Amino acid sequence: MLTSARKTMPALDYVSVIRSVYGDRRAMLAGAFASGLTAALTAWRSQSLPLYAVAIAIIALGVVRYLNMRAFWRAAIDNDDAAAAQHWEDRAVLAGTTLALAHGLWCLFAMLLVDDPFAELASVSLSIAVMVGICARNFGLDRLVTLQIVAVILPMGTGLFLNGDPYHAVLAILLLVLLSSFRKLAGDIRSILLSAVHGRVEASRLAAELDIAITTLEHGLCMLDENGVVTVANERAIRTFALLDIHEVANQPFAAVLAALGATGKVPRTAVDRLGDMVGRRASGKVLLSFTPGRYYEVTVSSRRARSVLLFEDISERVAAEERISFMARHDTLTGLPNRSYFGELALEELELRAAAGRPTALMIFDIDEFKHVNDSFGHVVGDKLLRQAAARLRHALPAGAILARLGGDEFIALSGDEAEIARADAQRVLEAFEAPFALDGLNLPVQVSIGLVTSPTSQDELDELMTKADLALYTAKGEGKGRSQIFHAQMDIDYHYRQRLKADLRDAVAEGRLSLAFQPLLDITSRRVVSCEALARWTHPELGPIAPATFIPLAEEMGLISDITAWMIRNAAGECSRWMGDIGVAVNVSARDFRGVDLPALIDAALAETGLAARRLEIEVTETAVIEERELAQSVLKGLSARGIAIALDDFGTGYSSLSYLNALPFTKLKIDRSFVADIATSPRALSLLANVARLGRDLDLVVVAEGVETEAQLDAMLQHTRIQQVQGYLFSRPLPARDIAELIARLNGQRGALSPPTKRKHG
């Protein structure tokens, strides 16, 4: 079925085919005139009116088709306007079929109406030529080709068939075969042309896309032919080479480009040689080019079939990011100093070099004194500024070649190649650098630093060993009053191993319940009775004998055992107190770690329930240090205990910061004045006045005031006459006693009614 080509082609192809049908109108008009004049010649020769009519019709139809073609090009239809193209297809089919029919009638009339061999030959020859032209011009429209061929062949075949002899009949049949072959020829031409058109369009599309890809590519691109000549170089590649003062790249041998690149001296020669070698061998791989400060390019070489493609990727930002990440991984973000890990790498390398040369090494560890108090009192922003300024002072005070790092928190470390005396001088300069107050957000804070120092004459010591020794020296410096330096000596190592042994044995003692309790009484200065006893932990080592609480309690805090000891003391102290006569109470000390290390309210509730001790007879003692370190948590826990009826005492008042805000914010019921206030009251009016004022402060706050460390009659008399102290505690009345003796002492003291005086001293193993 003959249909419009619009139904079988994309709009773009369809419009292109219609344009080809309307192309070369002058050649069409010339052919029409040639056919018309030939028909007129045959009409004149045979004097046939029908042939004159055919001649006129052919010329007239040729003119009509010419005018139709001009009208088409004036219409200027769009490339994808298929509807308009179909209109012009219909007009071409009508005009073309009519002209072909005129040629067919010319053949029919020449064979049937005249008896002239020339007329037959001329009409058939030109009509066959017209069919060839139809295939050549109108191949794109199958409908038009088919109708035109039918319009020529059917009249021509009819004339041959009606001629009367079998030869002409056979020729007529063969003309039908010719019809299908011409149509097949037109179809083949159409397929070839459309394929070529599609190929050209696809090639144009690919070329355009490739051009866009190369133009918009974020990287520089160079293509080399089999001779190593740069055949393609995009704008980014040209700009990249221009940075290196190379302005001619395209159509240049790449070897010459590399030679110019090496001559600039802006790129490492090894990288240039490696790139040249890779391109010369037609290999594939990557080469890093670095030039001008902070500029890095990664060149990817891909080779195939003797050709190479070079991709220049600007990786400057990536390298900078990697360098930042590397710096952050190896440096402290706050101070910019090397961190602990990176210091280890640097220090090990330095130690190896110095050990090989037999040169000395000095290692110092610095610790900022009372840094936690600065953080807690003024906030972490001020604390961070203090650390940055401290790092700057350390850098300035230490030798230029020293490796300075931040270990973490408020600790710094430095490694230098100095003799012992020079290292001591360096440490002294650091101490002097910290003498000036730190200006922090409008604050002038005096801050000291403690220093632990160790030297190695030939740098043969391991880094871990040096750090351990410096830590021991630092521990000694802080123990001796802070704000000083201490060089490591052998006794520190002995003390260290002694401490390590004590730690191990203390852990076993706590686990096996080998601690014991001692109790020191507190006496009411008015009623002259024991009102309470302070429970104290005691440890007798099986080999070393009694270990002082000042020794093993700090060890327990350091090891995280203090809360286990506190829990054990509360249970056992409550049990002992429940067996004492009267309403004598018992006090147990609680450390800062206990507020987080154990559930104090639950532990106390369990102990009271187990022993049957009334809550009012249990007292918890805390120091200012414990309150400062865990202020919010301590406030919550202590208020909960106070609500249960448990007394809360502030111990060692006057030795810490003595902040009156704590007395107001926390539910204290008792104020225990430290023994340092009592020591000189018998001989110093100033000391006595200070004690009296502190006692008055406590009484004004409705607190029970206790004086600790009463050891002489003179001290007791001064307190009785000049202060408002309510309770006293000290060796004048009793040393801490074991549980088996304290009940007897309570009974004896509380049975006396005379003037308050110290009891007879007794020996208790």
Side-chain angles (χ1 to χ4, degrees):
M1 183 176 182
L2 299 177
T3 60
S4 171
R6 177 184 179 185
K7 298 180 180 180
T8 60
M9 294 183 186
L12 184 64
D13 291 349
Y14 179 53
V15 173
S16 298
V17 167
I18 297 301
R19 285 175 175 161
S20 69
V21 170
Y22 281 89
D24 200 4
R25 57 181 180 271
R26 291 186 178 84
M28 183 279 305
L29 183 61
F33 270 96
S35 296
L37 291 175
T38 302
L41 181 61
T42 59
W44 179 79
R45 178 182 173 85
S46 61
Q47 295 297 306
S48 171
L49 291 176
L51 291 183
Y52 277 118
V54 168
I56 295 171
I58 290 174
I59 294 174
L61 288 172
V63 172
V64 169
R65 289 192 69 191
Y66 176 81
L67 295 175
N68 188 45
M69 288 179 173
R70 289 188 60 185
F72 169 80
W73 290 108
R74 284 197 300 269
I77 64 175
D78 293 334
N79 292 335
D80 56 355
D81 191 352
Q86 183 172 359
H87 167 73
W88 291 102
E89 179 191 1
D90 293 340
R91 293 180 63 168
V93 168
L94 178 62
T97 303
T98 304
L99 181 60
L101 181 61
H103 281 80
L105 292 175
W106 180 22
C107 295
L108 178 65
F109 293 162
M111 294 179 189
L112 296 180
L113 300 181
V114 297
D115 185 16
D116 185 357
F118 173 75
E120 291 182 5
L121 177 63
S123 62
V124 172
S125 299
L126 287 183
S127 295
I128 294 297
V130 165
M131 284 191 289
V132 174
I134 289 172
C135 293
R137 176 187 297 276
N138 302 329
F139 65 89
L141 299 177
D142 180 64
R143 181 174 60 154
L144 176 57
V145 169
T146 302
L147 289 175
Q148 285 184 309
I149 292 177
V150 169
V152 172
I153 294 296
L154 286 181
M156 184 186 297
T158 301
L160 291 172
F161 190 79
L162 295 178
N163 196 272
D165 64 87
Y167 297 102
H168 284 79
V170 171
L171 184 59
I173 294 173
L174 293 177
L175 284 176
L176 295 178
V177 177
L178 185 65
L179 167 64
S180 60
S181 64
F182 276 14
R183 187 183 180 192
K184 177 65 169 55
L185 175 62
D188 291 343
I189 296 173
R190 181 169 60 251
S191 297
I192 292 171
L193 180 61
L194 289 179
S195 176
V197 170
H198 290 166
R200 178 179 56 80
V201 170
E202 181 66 13
S204 299
R205 183 185 67 80
L206 291 176
E209 290 180 355
L210 180 60
D211 182 65
I212 292 173
I214 293 176
T215 303
T216 60
L217 185 67
E218 292 186 359
H219 311 316
L221 181 139
C222 289
M223 294 185 179
L224 313 184
D225 63 12
E226 61 276 4
N227 297 317
V229 175
V230 180
T231 56
V232 176
N234 67 356
E235 184 63 29
R236 289 185 180 272
I238 293 173
R239 289 204 302 266
T240 299
F241 282 105
L243 292 174
L244 299 167
D245 298 328
I246 299 175
H247 303 285
E248 293 294 333
V249 177
N251 302 317
Q252 298 294 317
F254 192 67
V257 175
L258 286 180
L261 184 61
T264 63
K266 295 183 177 181
V267 179
R269 187 71 206 185
T270 54
V272 175
D273 292 342
R274 183 164 181 265
L275 181 58
D277 176 67
M278 191 174 294
V279 172
R281 292 186 293 107
R282 299 295 189 269
S284 298
K286 296 179 182 290
V287 178
L288 179 64
L289 300 181
S290 60
F291 56 90
T292 69
R295 303 294 295 181
Y296 297 90
Y297 280 83
E298 185 178 70
V299 184
T300 302
V301 181
S302 301
S303 299
R304 185 178 181 185
R305 295 179 181 175
R307 295 175 178 266
S308 298
V309 176
L310 282 69
L311 197 66
F312 295 81
E313 180 181 0
D314 187 348
I315 60 170
S316 302
E317 292 186 3
R318 188 176 79 193
V319 171
E322 290 173 352
E323 288 177 348
R324 286 195 299 271
I325 293 171
S326 176
F327 182 87
M328 292 172 63
R330 305 171 79 179
H331 290 77
D332 172 49
T333 56
L334 182 63
T335 63
L337 295 176
N339 57 22
R340 177 188 290 268
S341 175
Y342 189 36
F343 172 79
E345 296 177 20
L346 297 175
L348 286 175
E349 292 177 4
E350 185 68 16
L351 284 174
E352 288 179 2
L353 292 174
R354 293 187 174 279
R359 297 163 56 194
T361 295
L363 182 75
M364 286 182 277
I365 294 181
F366 311 92
D367 184 272
I368 299 176
D369 298 331
E370 307 298 346
F371 176 74
K372 189 176 190 309
H373 172 62
V374 174
N375 257 350
D376 293 341
S377 301
F378 304 106
H380 289 282
V381 173
V382 173
D384 289 347
K385 290 183 178 179
L386 172 58
L387 290 173
R388 283 194 290 267
Q389 291 189 25
R393 293 192 186 189
L394 288 171
R395 269 193 297 258
H396 185 265
L398 291 170
I403 302 173
L404 176 63
R406 184 186 176 197
L407 288 179
D410 60 343
E411 280 195 340
F412 298 84
I413 189 170
L415 182 75
S416 62
D418 296 323
E419 303 283 353
E421 290 304 318
I422 299 177
R424 286 191 182 95
D426 293 341
Q428 183 59 37
R429 280 198 303 274
V430 171
L431 294 175
E432 292 171 357
F434 277 73
E435 289 178 355
F438 285 76
L440 305 166
D441 289 346
L443 301 171
N444 284 319
L445 297 181
V447 176
Q448 294 179 312
V449 64
S450 297
I451 307 173
L453 169 64
V454 63
T455 60
S456 178
T458 58
S459 303
Q460 296 296 326
D461 294 316
E462 296 290 337
L463 178 61
D464 290 343
E465 183 180 357
L466 290 174
M467 292 179 66
T468 299
K469 291 178 178 179
D471 262 328
L472 293 175
L474 176 64
Y475 180 84
T476 302
K478 295 182 76 69
E480 292 179 353
K482 305 179 182 179
R484 63 187 63 201
S485 66
Q486 177 64 56
I487 191 167
F488 174 82
H489 53 74
Q491 184 60 40
M492 293 180 186
D493 196 39
I494 296 172
D495 294 342
Y496 170 74
H497 288 93
Y498 174 71
R499 283 169 51 82
Q500 295 304 107
R501 178 185 179 185
L502 286 184
K503 284 183 179 182
D505 293 344
L506 178 59
R507 188 179 299 278
D508 293 340
V510 172
E512 297 169 7
R514 289 193 272 109
L515 299 183
S516 61
L517 282 179
F519 298 89
Q520 186 173 32
L522 283 74
L523 282 74
D524 184 271
I525 205 167
T526 302
S527 66
R528 309 163 190 148
R529 287 176 172 269
V530 176
V531 294
S532 179
C533 293
E534 181 179 358
L536 302 166
R538 293 292 183 262
W539 177 31
T540 301
H541 193 280
E543 298 178 16
L544 303 175
I547 307 298
T551 298
F552 76 82
I553 291 299
L555 288 180
E557 291 185 340
E558 185 179 326
M559 298 166 61
L561 292 175
I562 192 65
S563 294
D564 294 336
I565 295 176
T566 300
W568 173 84
M569 288 183 65
I570 290 174
R571 288 193 298 269
N572 286 274
E576 290 294 335
C577 183
S578 67
R579 292 189 283 272
W580 296 342
M581 58 177 290
D583 286 336
I584 306 299
V586 67
V588 179
N589 286 280
V590 172
S591 76
R593 293 179 181 269
D594 291 332
F595 289 111
R596 293 192 181 275
V598 68
D599 187 348
L600 276 176
L603 175 64
I604 291 172
D605 289 343
L608 296 179
E610 180 182 346
T611 62
L613 183 69
R616 68 179 184 279
R617 296 179 63 187
L618 180 62
E619 186 175 282
I620 296 299
E621 292 188 7
V622 295
T623 63
E624 286 180 286
T625 302
V627 172
I628 290 172
E629 291 183 3
E630 298 289 353
R631 179 166 185 171
E632 293 183 2
L633 185 57
Q635 184 174 2
S636 173
V637 172
L638 294 179
K639 284 185 176 180
L641 295 178
S642 178
R644 290 170 167 80
I646 297 169
I648 310 295
L650 180 59
D651 196 15
D652 298 335
F653 182 77
T655 59
Y657 299 99
S658 302
S659 174
L660 300 184
S661 64
Y662 298 129
L663 295 178
N664 181 55
L666 298 174
F668 293 116
T669 57
K670 182 178 289 188
L671 184 67
K672 299 186 72 174
I673 303 174
D674 187 69
R675 64 183 64 249
S676 60
F677 285 80
V678 176
D680 299 328
I681 61 172
T683 58
S684 171
R686 183 182 180 89
L688 180 59
S689 176
L690 179 59
L691 176 64
N693 281 287
V694 174
R696 184 181 300 111
L697 171 65
R699 294 295 298 274
D700 289 345
L701 293 175
D702 199 25
L703 301 176
V704 175
V705 180
V706 181
E708 297 181 298
V710 181
E711 298 182 354
T712 67
E713 291 280 1
Q715 292 171 339
L716 180 60
D717 290 341
M719 280 187 283
L720 285 169
Q721 295 176 26
H722 301 288
T723 72
R724 299 173 62 189
I725 289 174
Q726 297 156 286
Q727 296 178 9
V728 290
Q729 178 182 3
Y731 282 10
L732 179 62
F733 309 102
S734 175
R735 293 176 177 274
L737 299 176
R740 64 179 179 272
D741 296 333
I742 193 64
E744 179 186 344
L745 178 66
I746 292 171
R748 184 162 57 81
L749 289 179
N750 283 6
Q752 296 174 351
R753 296 293 181 179
L756 186 62
S757 60
T760 304
K761 301 286 176 63
R762 298 178 57 186
K763 301 290 184 181
H764 299 282

